[in-house]
Amino acid sequence: MIKNRIGVIGSINTDIVCETDKLPKIGETVMGNKFLISFGGKGANEAVACARLGASTNLLGCVGDDMFSKNAIANLQQEGVHITAVKQLKGKQGGIANITVHNGNNQIVVISGANALVDENYINKYANRIKECSIVGCQFETPIEALVLASDICVKNGIKFVLNPSPIKKYPKKLFNNASYVIVNEVEIQEVEGYNPQKPFEILEKHANKLILTKGKSGAYYHNGQKLVNVPAINVKVLDTTGAGDTFLGSFMVAINNNFSLFDAVTFANICAGLKTTKLGAQTAMPTLNEVKKYVKKNRINLQINF
Ligand code: RIB
């Protein structure tokens, strides 16, 4: 294990972003305001979120050999993410996300491309890149069976495993059980076994100190074994929420890896995710450690960041 290294297994995409005041109906054309081609993919986003906060980070994922993939690799290198486990596949196209941003919210269509090849063979081949980490995160834009295998490797090697089941789909219970932390939004929590829509917070008590619910402007919730805890979101003008969840997960792992309490880790993640929403794009908008520290100081938030 390399001291305090973070691992992320997941997708690497290029985001094609249009910002508009009006969403088109089926068959309609509308004029938008801004266009952006930027670096995305939930896996790459999380890895960049970690690296911007100064964490040594391994990314495990696949790209193709098209221009988008080559640029994505160059960007990850520039961000300081360790990419020795990012496999470039000949003749394949890298992942693409078509994103429409409207009033700060987004609609996303993803074409997996090479991300679909992050399979069990791939995980076996790059298992050592997982084993050298102290905490590993994943999401659902790459094949789930491979994530189950990766989570087993984490459990066997005493590595914390963090699950963000996004975009949501059915997944084996083992993946949930293998996780040290599961971070869900209001849609994703509905897939957690035993979720009761009449009592939406009840399930947090069953998975106290493990299951964390993010609720945008209402902040994040978890149960600490004694009571339900709400960690408020920061008050910012939201321009684009794309990648905010990925920023939350990445910064949460950085905080846990630096031995923050769960409350402080969620506070830190809320600040990082909130700052991300003030700018357009996923990775382009993620805060650096200095920006987070400045925000904490300026707003007199009770949080000691000693890394
Ligand atoms: O979570 C945001 C990300 O989802 C985007 O960057 C896009 O690539 C999709 O993967």
Side-chain angles (χ1 to χ4, degrees), residues 114-135:
N115 293 312
L117 296 156
V118 182
D119 57 13
E120 286 158 295
N121 286 336
Y122 167 86
I123 294 293
N124 279 322
K125 186 166 176 204
Y126 290 98
N128 283 341
R129 297 283 86 83
I130 295 175
K131 288 180 195 164
E132 64 192 14
C133 299
S134 45
I135 188 166

Side-chain angles (χ1 to χ4, degrees), residues 31 34 108 115 119 131 136 139 161 164 207 235 259:
M31 305 304 284
K34 280 183 198 143
I108 306 182
N115 293 312
D119 57 13
K131 288 180 195 164
V136 168
Q139 356 61 40
F161 180 71
N164 175 213
H207 302 289
N235 191 9
N259 300 316

Side-chain angles (χ1 to χ4, degrees), residues 11-16 38-43 45 95-99 106 108-110 141 166-167 241-246 281-283:
S11 56
I12 303 166
N13 295 340
T14 301
D15 293 350
I16 313 290
S38 65
F39 300 106
K42 295 182 194 304
N45 290 350
I96 295 287
N98 193 348
I99 304 181
N106 59 54
I108 306 182
V109 178
V110 174
E141 283 183 340
S166 170
T241 56
T242 309
D246 310 330
Q283 292 172 30

Side-chain angles (χ1 to χ4, degrees), residues 3-298:
K3 199 171 175 280
N4 280 340
R5 184 164 293 194
I6 296 177
V8 177
I9 304 163
S11 56
I12 303 166
N13 295 340
T14 301
D15 293 350
I16 313 290
V17 186
C18 287
E19 197 262 323
T20 177
D21 289 336
K22 187 172 186 257
L23 285 175
K25 297 191 187 82
I26 300 290
E28 188 189 14
T29 302
V30 297
M31 305 304 284
N33 301 321
K34 280 183 198 143
F35 171 71
L36 179 77
I37 296 184
S38 65
F39 300 106
K42 295 182 194 304
N45 290 350
E46 289 172 11
V48 168
C50 295
R52 289 251 173 114
L53 296 167
S56 174
T57 309
N58 281 356
L59 176 61
L60 286 90
C62 292
V63 292
D65 60 359
D66 55 336
M67 267 311 291
F68 287 137
S69 297
K70 287 176 187 161
N71 289 339
I73 291 276
N75 170 64
L76 288 164
Q77 266 172 325
Q78 203 180 318
E79 292 284 355
V81 174
H82 298 287
I83 54 160
T84 51
V86 174
K87 195 172 171 189
Q88 256 191 302
L89 298 157
K90 279 214 174 96
K92 296 284 172 202
Q93 193 187 49
I96 295 287
N98 193 348
I99 304 181
T100 306
V101 177
H102 173 250
N103 286 342
N105 295 312
N106 59 54
Q107 293 176 321
I108 306 182
V109 178
V110 174
I111 305 295
S112 288
N115 293 312
L117 296 156
V118 182
D119 57 13
E120 286 158 295
N121 286 336
Y122 167 86
I123 294 293
N124 279 322
K125 186 166 176 204
Y126 290 98
N128 283 341
R129 297 283 86 83
I130 295 175
K131 288 180 195 164
E132 64 192 14
C133 299
S134 45
I135 188 166
V136 168
C138 79
Q139 356 61 40
F140 281 177
E141 283 183 340
T142 54
I144 288 188
E145 314 75 57
L147 299 177
V148 176
L149 174 60
S151 70
D152 279 340
I153 293 172
C154 288
V155 170
K156 274 189 203 129
N157 290 277
I159 300 162
K160 292 188 182 101
F161 180 71
V162 186
L163 174 66
N164 175 213
S166 170
I168 192 63
K169 49 183 91 158
K170 296 259 179 248
Y171 58 97
K173 207 176 166 193
K174 191 177 193 199
L175 201 52
F176 187 99
N177 291 342
N178 277 350
S180 316
Y181 302 99
V182 181
I183 297 173
V184 290
N185 64 19
E186 287 164 282
V187 176
E188 292 150 9
I189 198 170
Q190 296 173 30
E191 277 302 319
V192 178
E193 196 178 281
Y195 174 79
N196 178 354
Q198 310 305 320
K199 295 178 183 166
F201 291 113
E202 199 179 61
I203 194 77
L204 296 178
E205 183 171 4
K206 185 171 173 210
H207 302 289
N209 297 308
K210 166 167 175 165
L211 184 61
I212 298 157
L213 169 66
T214 59
K215 270 172 73 77
K217 282 189 170 169
S218 307
Y221 291 81
Y222 66 93
H223 198 285
N224 69 5
Q226 264 108 46
K227 62 177 189 333
L228 183 70
V229 179
N230 172 229
V231 185
I234 59 171
N235 191 9
V236 287
K237 189 169 182 301
V238 175
L239 192 73
D240 177 15
T241 56
T242 309
D246 310 330
T247 308
F248 186 98
L249 192 119
S251 50
F252 176 81
M253 289 202 291
V254 172
I256 291 292
N257 219 24
N258 280 286
N259 300 316
F260 274 31
S261 67
L262 186 55
F263 183 84
D264 283 353
V266 176
T267 303
F268 183 74
N270 265 352
I271 295 167
C272 295
L275 290 176
K276 181 342 295 166
T277 65
T278 60
K279 296 179 194 158
L280 190 63
Q283 292 172 30
T284 42
M286 287 172 180
T288 61
L289 187 57
N290 264 343
E291 286 167 340
V292 179
K293 283 182 174 172
K294 264 191 201 160
Y295 184 89
V296 166
K297 196 171 172 199
K298 191 173 169 204

